[in-house]
Amino acid sequence: MNAAEMKKNYHYNNPIIQTNYTADPAPMVYNDRVYLYTSHDEDGSTWFTMNDWKCYSSSDMVNWTDHGSVLHFNEFRWARGDAWAGQCVERNGKFYFYVPINKKNGGMAVGVAVSDSPLGPFKDPLGHPLVETGTGDIDPTVFIDDDGQAYLYWGNPYLWYVKLNEDMISYDQEVGIVQVELTPEGFGKREGDDPKRPTLYEEAPWFYKRNGLYYMVYAASGIPENIAYSTSTSPTGPWTFRGIIMPTQGTSFTNHPGVCDFKGRSYFFYHNGALPGGGGFTRSVCVEEFEYNPDGTFPTLNMTTEGVSPVANLNPYIRNEAETIAWSYGVRTEPCSKGGMNVCNIDDEDYIKVRSVDFGSVGAESFTACVSSVKNGGMIELRLGSPDGKLIGVLNVPNTGGYDNWKLCSTSIENTQGVHDLFFVFKGEAKNDLFKFDFWQFEEAQSRNGE
Ligand code: FUB
């Protein structure tokens, strides 16, 4: 997709993040929200130039709130870079983020960082790697079984696991690091005679249990990768190869699965190179909904631009973050001077789509946004259905006297009822960097006839 297609394709929903390149999706369901942890390809990367991990969250699977960077490789004083694929899990109200990083003295290892909040800050409690074998220690995945035993799997081209102790930051030394036997029965037979890669297993394992069956979903078949899976009735195998879930598609030579159930539906996250400037080192996270077959096997899944349907409507009568986005064109996000994040890089004709906004039967009568600007500001057009859909109101954004000078600005709007996709379309004579946008809220009309 080039920039013009990006602008035109307002009906697209994949990739789900348009404001950054994101890869290696790791969803975590917690308290009625999906927290999506991603790695982060720096703009213009021509190698895996990756320094931090980002977090996005959603209560409806279509509008994703950007929480910014929640962990940087610098947090690990023993690391020098390569913030690759990680996974965060919750245990007893604490959040454990397992990540692979390049050590200062060379070679990848898996570290862990801990936080009291899913949004960080995450801190390295160890000051050294959690596990390392010296060979391809990347792509950790963690699952806590019903009996409380947690397992950490990882590796490329080998697949390793440890049994984590209850503290989640150490592992059972008696069992030690176990190398999984990669057999054709367990992981599919690979053509060729690479002794290190006798099976389809490549990297990016995603380990979980559903209805008593353990799943290992992973990037497979070499470069370019597809996504395959194996199952077992035990958390440590033996594994049975079950086939390819997602064929090689998209313009990224890697792929990386993340699977979760949320509000009664099943979701499959992956990445491709679909954004403008995208490719193997500038990737983007996408999601598809699917149903398991009655026997627990996966259907074949293809990459789509439609993505998924909302599982809930968005309430416009509470504070909503401007960086809660279903699809956007042109804008970026940044840490806000007041804390949290805000939308920036707002140019003339850029837009944000927020899906499935429920204005209710009484309807909205006014709109308020928190904005800041140094130039003459501009306008936020409020439109329904598309960037040139029905105009229900226009908010004038004045010069607020500085980007740190946040002001609440309001406008009355045409009474709007029902559920709509809402578009904020930005306009301004200055053309570039019109203003910044922190949050917004509609006010409900006074109910008529005492309704
Ligand atoms: O994102 C860097 C590496 O590329 C990951 O660790 C692999 O899974 C592949 O996606």
Side-chain angles (χ1 to χ4, degrees), residues 23-24 39 41 48 50 83-86 100 108 138-139 156 203-204 219 225 253-256 271 283:
D24 305 321
S39 57
D41 290 333
F48 294 110
M50 304 167 73
W84 288 10
M108 298 295 285
I138 66 169
D139 296 358
N156 171 348
E203 58 180 356
E225 294 172 342
F253 60 88
T254 64
N255 202 345
H256 193 113
H271 67 226
R283 298 162 291 175

Coordinates of all heavy atoms in Angstrom, one line a residue, residues 23-24 39 41 48 50 83-86 100 108 138-139 156 203-204 219 225 253-256 271 283, ligand 1:
A23 N 5.5 -5.2 15.1 CA 5.7 -6.6 14.7 C 5.5 -7.5 15.9 O 5.3 -7.0 17.1 CB 7.1 -6.8 14.1
D24 N 5.5 -8.8 15.7 CA 5.5 -9.8 16.8 C 4.4 -9.6 17.8 O 4.7 -9.4 19.0 CB 6.9 -9.8 17.5 CG 8.0 -10.0 16.5 OD1 7.9 -10.8 15.5 OD2 9.1 -9.3 16.6
S39 N 6.6 -5.7 19.2 CA 7.9 -5.1 19.0 C 7.7 -4.0 18.1 O 6.6 -3.7 17.6 CB 8.9 -6.2 18.5 OG 8.4 -6.7 17.3
D41 N 9.5 -1.9 14.8 CA 10.5 -1.7 13.8 C 10.6 -0.1 13.6 O 9.6 0.6 13.4 CB 10.1 -2.3 12.4 CG 10.1 -3.8 12.4 OD1 10.9 -4.3 13.2 OD2 9.3 -4.4 11.6
F48 N 16.7 -5.6 11.3 CA 15.8 -5.6 12.5 C 16.3 -4.5 13.5 O 16.9 -4.8 14.5 CB 15.9 -6.9 13.2 CG 15.3 -8.0 12.3 CD1 16.1 -9.0 11.8 CD2 13.9 -8.1 12.1 CE1 15.5 -10.1 11.0 CE2 13.3 -9.1 11.3 CZ 14.2 -10.1 10.8
M50 N 15.4 -2.4 16.2 CA 14.3 -2.5 17.1 C 14.8 -2.2 18.5 O 15.7 -2.9 19.0 CB 13.7 -3.9 17.1 CG 13.3 -4.3 15.7 SD 12.9 -6.0 15.5 CE 11.3 -6.1 16.3
A83 N 15.5 -5.4 20.4 CA 14.3 -5.6 21.2 C 13.3 -6.4 20.4 O 12.4 -5.9 19.7 CB 13.7 -4.3 21.6
W84 N 13.5 -7.8 20.4 CA 12.7 -8.6 19.5 C 11.4 -9.1 20.2 O 11.0 -8.6 21.1 CB 13.6 -9.8 19.0 CG 14.6 -9.3 18.0 CD1 14.9 -8.0 17.6 CD2 15.5 -10.2 17.2 NE1 15.9 -8.0 16.7 CE2 16.3 -9.3 16.4 CE3 15.6 -11.5 17.0 CZ2 17.2 -9.8 15.5 CZ3 16.6 -12.0 16.1 CH2 17.4 -11.2 15.4
A85 N 10.9 -10.2 19.7 CA 9.5 -10.7 20.0 C 9.4 -11.1 21.5 O 10.1 -12.0 21.9 CB 9.1 -11.8 19.1
G86 N 8.5 -10.4 22.2 CA 8.2 -10.8 23.6 C 6.8 -11.2 23.9 O 5.9 -11.1 23.0
P100 N 13.4 -11.2 24.3 CA 14.8 -11.5 23.9 C 15.6 -10.2 23.6 O 15.0 -9.3 23.0 CB 14.5 -12.3 22.6 CG 13.3 -11.7 22.0 CD 12.5 -11.1 23.1
M108 N 22.1 -13.4 21.7 CA 20.7 -13.2 22.3 C 20.5 -14.0 23.5 O 21.0 -15.1 23.7 CB 19.7 -13.5 21.2 CG 19.7 -12.7 19.9 SD 19.4 -11.0 20.1 CE 17.6 -10.9 20.3
I138 N 15.7 -16.6 21.3 CA 14.7 -15.5 21.0 C 13.3 -16.0 21.1 O 13.0 -17.2 21.3 CB 15.0 -15.0 19.5 CG1 14.6 -16.1 18.5 CG2 16.4 -14.5 19.4 CD1 14.6 -15.6 17.1
D139 N 12.4 -15.1 21.1 CA 10.9 -15.4 20.9 C 10.4 -16.2 22.1 O 9.7 -17.2 21.9 CB 10.7 -16.1 19.6 CG 11.0 -15.2 18.4 OD1 11.4 -14.1 18.6 OD2 10.9 -15.7 17.3
N156 N 15.1 -20.4 18.2 CA 15.2 -20.5 16.7 C 16.7 -21.0 16.5 O 17.6 -20.2 16.9 CB 15.0 -19.2 16.0 CG 15.3 -19.2 14.6 OD1 16.0 -20.2 14.1 ND2 15.0 -18.2 13.8
E203 N 10.6 -20.5 14.3 CA 10.8 -19.6 15.5 C 9.4 -19.1 15.9 O 8.4 -19.7 15.4 CB 11.6 -18.4 15.0 CG 11.0 -17.6 13.8 CD 11.8 -16.4 13.4 OE1 12.8 -16.1 14.0 OE2 11.4 -15.8 12.4
A204 N 9.3 -18.1 16.8 CA 8.1 -17.4 17.1 C 7.0 -18.4 17.7 O 5.9 -18.3 17.3 CB 7.5 -16.7 15.9
A219 N 6.1 -19.8 13.7 CA 6.5 -19.5 12.3 C 7.3 -20.7 11.8 O 8.1 -21.3 12.5 CB 7.4 -18.2 12.4
E225 N 8.3 -17.1 5.8 CA 7.7 -18.0 6.8 C 6.2 -18.1 6.5 O 5.5 -17.1 6.0 CB 7.9 -17.5 8.2 CG 9.3 -17.5 8.6 CD 9.6 -16.8 9.9 OE1 8.8 -16.0 10.3 OE2 10.7 -17.1 10.5
F253 N 9.0 -11.2 5.2 CA 9.5 -12.6 5.1 C 9.4 -13.3 6.4 O 9.5 -14.5 6.4 CB 10.9 -12.6 4.6 CG 11.9 -11.9 5.4 CD1 12.5 -12.5 6.5 CD2 12.2 -10.5 5.2 CE1 13.4 -11.8 7.3 CE2 13.1 -9.9 6.0 CZ 13.7 -10.5 7.0
T254 N 9.1 -12.6 7.5 CA 8.8 -13.3 8.8 C 7.3 -13.2 9.0 O 6.6 -12.3 8.4 CB 9.5 -12.6 10.0 OG1 9.1 -11.3 10.2 CG2 11.0 -12.6 9.8
N255 N 6.8 -14.0 10.0 CA 5.5 -13.8 10.5 C 5.6 -14.3 12.0 O 6.6 -14.9 12.4 CB 4.5 -14.6 9.7 CG 3.1 -14.0 9.9 OD1 2.8 -13.2 10.8 ND2 2.1 -14.4 9.0
H256 N 4.6 -13.9 12.7 CA 4.6 -14.2 14.2 C 3.2 -14.3 14.7 O 2.5 -13.3 14.6 CB 5.4 -13.1 14.9 CG 5.8 -13.5 16.3 ND1 7.1 -13.7 16.7 CD2 5.0 -13.7 17.4 CE1 7.1 -14.0 18.0 NE2 5.9 -14.0 18.4
H271 N 1.8 -10.6 11.6 CA 2.2 -9.3 11.0 C 2.5 -9.5 9.5 O 2.7 -10.6 9.1 CB 3.4 -8.7 11.8 CG 4.7 -9.5 11.7 ND1 5.5 -9.8 12.9 CD2 5.4 -10.1 10.7 CE1 6.6 -10.5 12.5 NE2 6.5 -10.7 11.2
R283 N 7.4 -3.8 9.6 CA 6.2 -4.7 9.6 C 5.0 -4.0 10.4 O 5.2 -3.0 11.0 CB 6.6 -6.0 10.3 CG 7.7 -6.7 9.5 CD 8.4 -7.7 10.3 NE 9.2 -7.2 11.4 CZ 9.9 -7.9 12.3 NH1 9.8 -9.2 12.3 NH2 10.6 -7.3 13.2
Ligands
FUB1 O1 11.1 -9.2 15.2 C1 12.4 -9.8 15.2 C2 12.3 -11.3 14.9 O2 11.7 -11.5 13.6 C3 11.4 -12.0 15.9 O3 12.0 -12.3 17.1 C4 11.1 -13.2 15.0 O4 10.0 -13.9 15.5 C5 10.8 -12.5 13.7 O5 9.5 -12.0 13.7

